[in-house]
Amino acid sequence: MSGSVWLPPGARPDSLPAIPRQRTPSWAQPDPIDELAVRLDDFIAAAVHPDEIAALLESDGLSDDRIRERYGVKNSFALAEELYERVDRRYPEPEDLPHDPWRIGLLACLLRGVVFVLPGFAHLLGAPLLAGPRGDLGLPAGTVPLLAGALTGWAWNQGLAHRAYAWLGLGDRSSARRCLLLGAPVGALLGALAALAVAGTAQPAAVAFAAGQSCYLGASTTLLVLGRERALLAALLPMAAGTLPTLVRDVPESARVLLLLGSLAAVVVLALVEVAPAVRDLGRGCWTAGLTALLPFGAPGGRPPAPVGGPRLAASLPYALFGLASGVLVLYAALGEVLAGGELSAIAAPAAVALTLSMGPAEWLLHRFRSDSLAGLRSTGSPRAFRRATVRTLAVCLIGYLAVLLALALTTAALWPHTPSPDGFRLAGLLMLGVVLWTGLLLQSVGAVLGGAAICCAAALVQTLALVTHTGTPHIVGLVVYGAAAAAQAVLVCGLLGRATAHR
């Protein structure tokens, strides 16, 4: 019958013997290619192209003649293609994740933010030294040399820090110390000379204060570059604590000067201790070693001990220009009240304090963005997916920084004596300036400082021209300038950091 199975008479289906399985004949040999695939399974499964397998076979010493004799294929490439087809692709994650150089603790960044703001107490102590008749810009005469020295120091020390960090990146800590040993005093001298050049009718005490500020900037740069934030904090705390009584009562001028000189001396001594090995080298007559660390091609008349391919001097120039431009923009934010006819105390306006305090969280969020970008390189599978992930991470970090800056601005304005509540224009301008500074630091971290420096320099120049020509209200002009610079840098950041090669 069609579809039925014939059974012998009296037999039941469950009583029949099972059909034996086919057995491999004793004379049959296993496939040698299968054996090789089992032996190299992990490597073959992770290979992205048969040529990787061919290279492994050749490195194991398998010649084409031996491959033809043993495996029955033409050559190593043919065998590699056969192995590639027999093993499924799988790309296991490494047991240990690769080192992330951008991981940093939040506490360390917050400590740096506090260290950045503590020197502002010195301006409160030295306020009587900066008094004087107002000039053409509405600034007291004593503040002009102070600002000139500060801008000179910010520009010089930003470039100096980049050069010292470059030496540290090459693993040459001794050259970094020599660079700081010679560069910091030069910056202090330049700052003092700039203050003296614009002193005008200012008192000698104001010029001396500006010179001390220049010395502090050089010494503190040395300590920050060499990772001695805690030592710098310990040197500044007594001066900050001594400033508190001045907020409620008059303090003798001699006590103010003593606190200022004591704090400055402590910071300078700590910086000298950090560069002491370089001092010993120079004491043995190795002046050429120090000049080589500071100059681009070594000192004349001596063999440069620095390694070939050291950092170029011209590479630090954009960082110095960014330091100068960002300093000008921050000073305009701080001087808005003074330029509008406010009191001298507004030179340490809450906006400047908020910006300075926010640099700690800004640094942590910058590291967080770079760390998440490296994770995005590992987790995304296409350039478009990586670009989307990068833009999303950038937006989260930037919004987080602006939220911190806004909270600090409102808090400092509420606590600062005799300060009106900030209006919408002032807050918007401050937030736009925060975008400019944070995106500028981000561009620096990926080596694209030239674009950020050019935008900040242009913004500083426009705002300076508006101030000199008395064009518009300072807060309105600042909002427009900061907004344009923020938009330009945001476009630059999105266009650059959407490419995976920018995160190497």
Side-chain angles (χ1 to χ4, degrees):
M1 181 182 296
S2 176
S4 62
V5 179
W6 180 85
L7 297 175
R12 297 194 313 270
D14 56 356
S15 64
L16 296 178
I19 300 176
R21 292 186 305 168
Q22 296 293 330
R23 297 182 180 274
T24 302
S26 59
W27 48 264
Q29 297 296 328
D31 188 351
I33 298 182
D34 285 340
E35 290 185 336
L36 183 61
V38 171
R39 182 162 63 88
L40 303 178
D41 180 76
D42 289 338
F43 181 86
I44 298 173
V48 298
H49 194 276
D51 287 352
E52 295 182 39
I53 307 172
L56 177 65
L57 297 175
E58 293 175 357
S59 67
D60 284 345
L62 286 176
S63 63
D64 289 343
D65 292 337
R66 187 176 178 184
I67 288 174
R68 281 192 293 269
E69 176 183 351
R70 185 171 180 179
Y71 299 103
V73 293
K74 183 177 180 181
N75 51 33
S76 60
F77 293 100
L79 178 58
E81 291 178 358
E82 186 69 26
L83 292 170
Y84 188 81
E85 298 223 354
R86 294 193 184 194
V87 177
D88 294 333
R89 305 272 70 71
R90 61 179 186 274
Y91 304 101
E93 291 290 334
E95 295 181 2
D96 297 326
L97 291 177
H99 172 64
D100 185 355
W102 294 101
R103 285 288 180 185
I104 188 172
L106 176 60
L107 182 60
C109 292
L110 294 179
L111 176 63
R112 289 174 70 91
V114 174
V115 168
F116 293 153
V117 81
L118 283 182
F121 287 95
H123 297 92
L124 294 177
L125 279 174
L129 306 177
L130 307 176
R134 292 179 181 266
D136 295 336
L137 297 178
L139 297 175
T143 63
V144 176
L146 176 69
L147 298 180
L151 290 176
T152 303
W154 287 343
W156 176 268
N157 288 295
Q158 186 82 357
L160 177 65
H162 169 262
R163 185 157 182 79
Y165 276 126
W167 282 117
L168 291 175
L170 294 173
D172 194 345
R173 194 172 182 85
S174 60
S175 291
R177 286 196 180 102
R178 289 193 294 268
C179 176
L180 293 167
L181 174 63
L182 293 178
V186 172
L189 178 60
L190 291 176
L193 292 177
L196 183 62
V198 298
T201 60
Q203 298 295 325
V207 179
F209 185 90
Q213 175 187 251
S214 299
C215 292
Y216 168 79
L217 289 174
S220 62
T221 298
T222 299
L223 292 173
L224 290 172
V225 169
L226 298 178
R228 299 288 291 163
E229 295 91 348
R230 296 181 184 273
L232 180 57
L233 177 64
L236 293 175
L237 280 178
M239 182 267 297
T243 307
L244 297 179
T246 64
L247 300 178
V248 295
R249 65 183 181 185
D250 291 335
V251 175
E253 187 172 319
S254 58
R256 296 172 180 265
V257 173
L258 183 62
L259 283 172
L260 291 172
L261 291 180
S263 179
L264 176 61
V267 174
V268 171
V269 168
L270 288 172
L272 287 175
V273 169
E274 288 300 314
V275 297
V279 175
R280 289 195 293 268
D281 290 343
L282 295 180
R284 289 195 294 265
C286 299
W287 286 97
T288 55
L291 291 175
T292 300
L294 188 61
L295 298 177
F297 305 113
R303 186 181 65 181
V308 178
R312 296 180 298 109
L313 189 62
S316 300
L317 181 59
Y319 292 85
L321 292 176
F322 178 81
L324 176 62
S326 59
V328 170
L329 295 177
V330 172
L331 281 180
Y332 282 144
L335 294 175
E337 298 295 336
V338 176
L339 295 175
E343 298 296 329
L344 173 61
S345 60
I347 197 168
V353 177
L355 278 171
T356 307
L357 279 174
S358 71
M359 286 298 102
E363 184 177 357
W364 183 79
L365 287 168
L366 175 64
H367 281 77
R368 178 67 182 269
F369 171 78
R370 296 302 308 275
S371 177
D372 288 351
S373 297
L374 291 181
L377 285 173
R378 296 191 298 267
S379 61
T380 54
S382 67
R384 179 176 296 179
F386 174 72
R387 189 178 299 110
R388 285 198 303 266
T390 301
V391 172
R392 184 167 56 250
T393 303
L394 175 64
V396 170
C397 292
L398 184 55
I399 291 173
Y401 169 66
L402 293 180
V404 171
L405 179 57
L406 179 60
L408 289 173
L410 295 176
T411 303
T412 52
L415 298 177
W416 203 267
H418 311 296
T419 300
S421 300
D423 57 24
F425 285 109
R426 290 182 176 87
L427 285 177
L430 180 64
L431 294 180
M432 289 298 101
L433 178 56
V435 174
V436 173
L437 296 179
W438 194 81
T439 53
L441 294 175
L442 180 57
L443 290 171
Q444 280 194 37
S445 72
V446 298
V449 63
L450 196 57
I455 293 173
C456 288
C457 286
L461 180 61
V462 170
Q463 200 163 3
T464 301
L465 292 176
L467 174 65
V468 172
T469 58
H470 302 284
T471 302
T473 305
H475 297 301
I476 304 300
V477 172
L479 176 60
V480 174
V481 172
Y482 300 152
Q489 287 199 164
V491 171
L492 183 61
V493 167
C494 292
L496 176 66
L497 299 184
R499 301 197 300 264
T501 54
H503 300 267
R504 60 185 183 274

